[in-house]
Amino acid sequence: MKRLEQVGLEHVRAVYAGPECDLWELIMGSQIHVGGLESSRDLANRAGIQPGSRGVDLCCCKGTGMLFLCRFCDVASMTGVDATEKMVEEGRARVQRQGFADRIQFVHAEATRTGLPAGEFDFVWGEDAWCYVDDKAALIAEAVRLVRPGGTIAFTDWVEGGSPLSDDEARRFMTFMKFPSFATVNDYARLLEQNGCRVDCGVDTGRFTACVNLYISMLERQLTYDALAILGFDQAMMEAVLGEMTFARDLAHEGKLAQARFVAVKR
Ligand SMILES: C[S@@+](CC[C@H](N)C(=O)[O-])C[C@H]1O[C@@H](n2cnc3c(N)ncnc32)[C@H](O)[C@@H]1O
């Protein structure tokens, strides 16, 4: 697992409380993860999310993953955990506006220490967010603690691909993304197994390169003004962002970055 000492939760919170979050939302939509609805549907189908079940979304952002699960999978209730206060506040307002406040609640906490009761949930959910959590071992232990025996841990995440990143590549990419640590598929599979899970799926979704190409195209061809407005019309900053996205796209093309999907069951 790659680590970057200079980046911590305060940097991640600054991203999600500031303009970078707006930029991600501009290019990705309200589902801030690679592949949008298609990715969520794939994850829910592979995980066998059941109507009437109860789940926790770790690093839930503004709650769109939980709204998806209520609308499309008819889950009974969701609890979202996020460490950025602004996300929790905006999430509560969004869920209220969309009429789901009776089924979705938010907790402002770190994903590694949620304070939620053990063994009371049918599944734990996460979409492209656990890459921001430094202590992946504590994160997986907490996810497994939350579900009942037979419960499911289902998540997608950005991971190091089958070809390893060099130290320089990892430092540059993780600094841009504000990832304090960066796991491989095998790192996550090992942690899930060490915490008593059977890993049913840990695979590259194959979406990363095409989606990042799409984001770059939108920034260059359609959303340039809106992106510049978010960045205070700082053209140098815009060029820098595009340069780092192109760098990430090229790493993915070389098999060094990917979005992966995981489904594991607590024994
Ligand atoms: C990419 S967004 C999640 C996107 C969301 N899953 C979706 O699909 O729309 C990442 C979220 O993780 C949260 N986060 C990062 N580190 C965290 C931590 N250690 N504990 C809890 N939340 C964290 C951030 O505040 C942010 O809201």
Side-chain angles (χ1 to χ4, degrees), residues 71-245:
R71 284 184 193 283
F72 289 82
C73 303
D74 200 21
V75 301
S77 66
M78 288 297 302
T79 302
V81 178
D82 203 281
T84 308
E85 199 168 5
K86 185 173 177 215
M87 295 300 97
V88 171
E89 282 167 7
E90 293 190 11
R92 283 189 181 125
R94 177 178 285 180
V95 159
Q96 177 82 38
R97 271 197 310 278
Q98 296 191 26
F100 285 91
D102 56 335
R103 286 162 69 187
I104 297 175
Q105 62 156 335
F106 287 82
V107 174
H108 178 216
E110 267 200 63
T112 52
R113 289 179 280 128
T114 64
L116 294 170
E120 291 200 0
F121 298 92
D122 299 304
F123 68 96
V124 164
W125 180 265
E127 290 179 287
D128 290 17
W130 296 4
C131 40
Y132 288 106
V133 180
D134 187 11
D135 189 345
K136 304 278 196 274
L139 173 69
I140 296 297
E142 180 67 354
V144 176
R145 186 186 74 81
L146 291 171
V147 294
R148 59 171 171 77
T152 302
I153 320 291
F155 64 103
T156 55
D157 205 12
W158 292 26
V159 296
E160 185 174 7
S163 306
L165 292 161
S166 72
D167 288 347
D168 284 348
E169 288 167 340
R171 194 176 312 107
R172 178 172 166 185
F173 169 71
M174 292 166 71
T175 302
F176 170 62
M177 288 304 302
K178 311 289 184 301
F179 291 168
S181 65
F182 198 43
T184 61
V185 166
N186 287 342
D187 289 331
Y188 272 131
R190 186 173 34 79
L191 288 172
L192 287 159
E193 277 161 7
Q194 282 171 355
N195 282 278
C197 289
R198 182 189 78 228
V199 180
D200 289 348
C201 156
V203 292
D204 181 347
T205 64
R207 287 198 180 94
F208 197 93
T209 309
C211 284
V212 177
N213 265 332
L214 179 65
Y215 309 147
I216 292 170
S217 283
M218 286 194 297
L219 284 176
E220 286 178 337
R221 296 183 174 174
Q222 183 67 43
L223 301 173
T224 320
Y225 184 92
D226 302 79
L228 275 169
I230 288 169
L231 297 174
F233 295 98
D234 182 338
Q235 306 224 32
M237 173 75 81
M238 178 81 172
E239 285 306 315
V241 166
L242 277 166
E244 294 313 299
M245 289 177 76

Side-chain angles (χ1 to χ4, degrees), residues 9 12 16 30-33 57 59-61 64-65 81-84 87 109-111 127-129 132-133:
L9 184 56
V12 176
Y16 282 93
S30 58
Q31 293 194 290
I32 309 181
H33 61 252
D57 185 343
C59 306
C60 64
C61 204
T64 312
V81 178
D82 203 281
T84 308
M87 295 300 97
E110 267 200 63
E127 290 179 287
D128 290 17
Y132 288 106
V133 180

